[in-house]
Amino acid sequence: MEQRITSRKNPQIQMVRKLLSSRKYREETGRFVGDGIKLLKEASAYCPGLETVFLSDGVEADLPETVQVIRVPEDVMESISPMSSPQGALFVCRMPRQPEWKPRGGIMILDGIQDPGNLGTILRTSDALDVPLVLLEGCADVFNHKVVRASMGAVFRREVVQTTWEQVLQACKAAQIPIGVTALSDTAMDIRRAQLHTMAVVIGSEGQGVRPEILEQADQQLIIPMNAHCESLNAAVAATIVMWQMRCTLP
């Protein structure tokens, strides 16, 4: 089913703008926006919640029959696209249901990762290495369009649990899963010596690192070996190294 819209004031155009700008509105409606031809292809293949696709005149896409297609002139696409040079495709998806989470070894927990690019990159890496993710309070919205774009389609394929530190702590203790935190301290264990595949490992925020209460309640502090003159790593880079080491310690 194809429809044509030429007005920037059309309610569906206004809805897209609001979904792009408001996390609260995304959560209330249970919908989010993605942009770009390549990402649309990923959504078409992996996202059962793909609902509506906005295409500029002259842009074609192979889509399921159930998806609503809306044609718009280039000026309308430019008015709603978050990209400076729109690719001519924007789409709306339903959010997946929050998965039921059961703690296990070899998971990564993100504490306050606020940069959408970092979060999207971590999602992409977790998809590549098959490492489950848990997001604690203070993280960027998984369904922010910048996160969706940086994930390169991983957001459509990965189940991401969003919960609180208290719930994670209780669940891991009940399941006897040790919690490790990355930290710059003299007592931290080199990640190459740790059995990361048996642990839940926390990566902290870009500016503050892991929260003090998590540091205090964790079972083990961990450190990524690096040159002494380097103070820290980008959060996404640190997460990638830890996830790779998790895979390397699998029996």
Side-chain angles (χ1 to χ4, degrees), residues 10 15 20-21 27 38 53 57 61 77 83 91 99 108 124 134 144 160 164-165 174 178 194 211 214 245 249:
N10 182 279
M15 175 198 68
L20 285 166
S21 63
E27 292 172 347
K38 185 172 182 180
V53 176
D57 291 334
M77 179 62 71
M83 302 178 71
F91 55 94
M108 174 155 287
R124 186 178 179 185
V134 175
N144 178 302
V160 181
T164 66
W165 166 243
R211 281 176 284 163
I214 297 179
Q245 190 63 26
T249 59

Side-chain angles (χ1 to χ4, degrees), residues 5-228:
I5 291 176
T6 58
S7 171
R8 300 184 186 188
K9 296 182 180 180
N10 182 279
Q12 295 203 67
I13 299 298
Q14 307 259 11
M15 175 198 68
V16 171
R17 289 198 189 100
K18 199 167 181 180
L19 286 172
L20 285 166
S21 63
S22 171
R23 180 174 186 168
K24 182 179 179 182
Y25 187 65
R26 289 193 293 272
E27 292 172 347
E28 288 174 349
T29 59
R31 282 161 176 75
F32 66 99
V33 175
D35 62 88
I37 297 295
K38 185 172 182 180
L39 206 55
L40 174 58
K41 186 176 180 180
E42 293 291 311
S44 182
Y46 297 105
C47 181
L50 179 62
E51 282 187 340
T52 306
V53 176
F54 296 79
L55 296 175
S56 294
D57 291 334
V59 176
E60 300 297 333
D62 186 14
L63 300 168
E65 293 182 358
T66 55
V67 174
Q68 181 185 22
V69 177
I70 297 178
R71 285 283 173 188
V72 297
E74 287 188 12
D75 68 299
V76 174
M77 179 62 71
E78 288 173 357
S79 74
I80 55 174
S81 175
M83 302 178 71
S84 56
S85 299
Q87 295 181 12
L90 208 69
F91 55 94
V92 177
C93 299
R94 293 189 310 275
M95 291 181 185
R97 291 183 179 180
Q98 172 77 359
E100 181 182 353
W101 180 60
K102 295 181 179 180
R104 46 157 279 194
I107 64 172
M108 174 155 287
I109 300 167
L110 304 182
D111 177 41
I113 301 296
Q114 297 176 345
D115 182 86
N118 280 341
L119 181 54
T121 299
I122 294 170
L123 277 163
R124 186 178 179 185
T125 306
S126 78
D127 185 39
L129 299 179
D130 197 24
V131 173
L133 284 182
V134 175
L135 272 61
L136 302 182
E137 55 270 40
C139 285
D141 180 12
V142 172
F143 300 107
N144 178 302
H145 68 276
K146 292 180 181 178
V147 176
V148 174
R149 188 189 306 150
S151 80
M152 294 298 289
V155 72
F156 307 131
R157 295 185 290 268
R158 301 299 299 181
E159 288 189 339
V160 181
V161 174
Q162 301 181 65
T163 186
T164 66
W165 166 243
E166 289 74 19
Q167 290 174 327
V168 166
L169 180 63
Q170 290 175 10
C172 286
K173 284 188 178 297
Q176 297 185 325
I177 296 169
I179 297 174
V181 297
T182 52
L184 298 173
S185 72
D186 295 335
T187 59
M189 178 185 289
D190 187 320
I191 62 168
R192 295 172 296 182
R193 293 172 43 222
Q195 295 298 304
L196 297 183
H197 70 280
T198 67
M199 306 174 73
V201 180
V202 185
I203 297 287
S205 69
E206 295 86 355
Q208 305 299 320
V210 177
R211 281 176 284 163
E213 59 266 37
I214 297 179
L215 281 170
E216 292 171 5
Q217 294 173 310
D219 300 291
Q220 178 68 60
Q221 293 190 10
L222 303 166
I223 191 167
I224 298 169
M226 65 184 84
N227 281 328

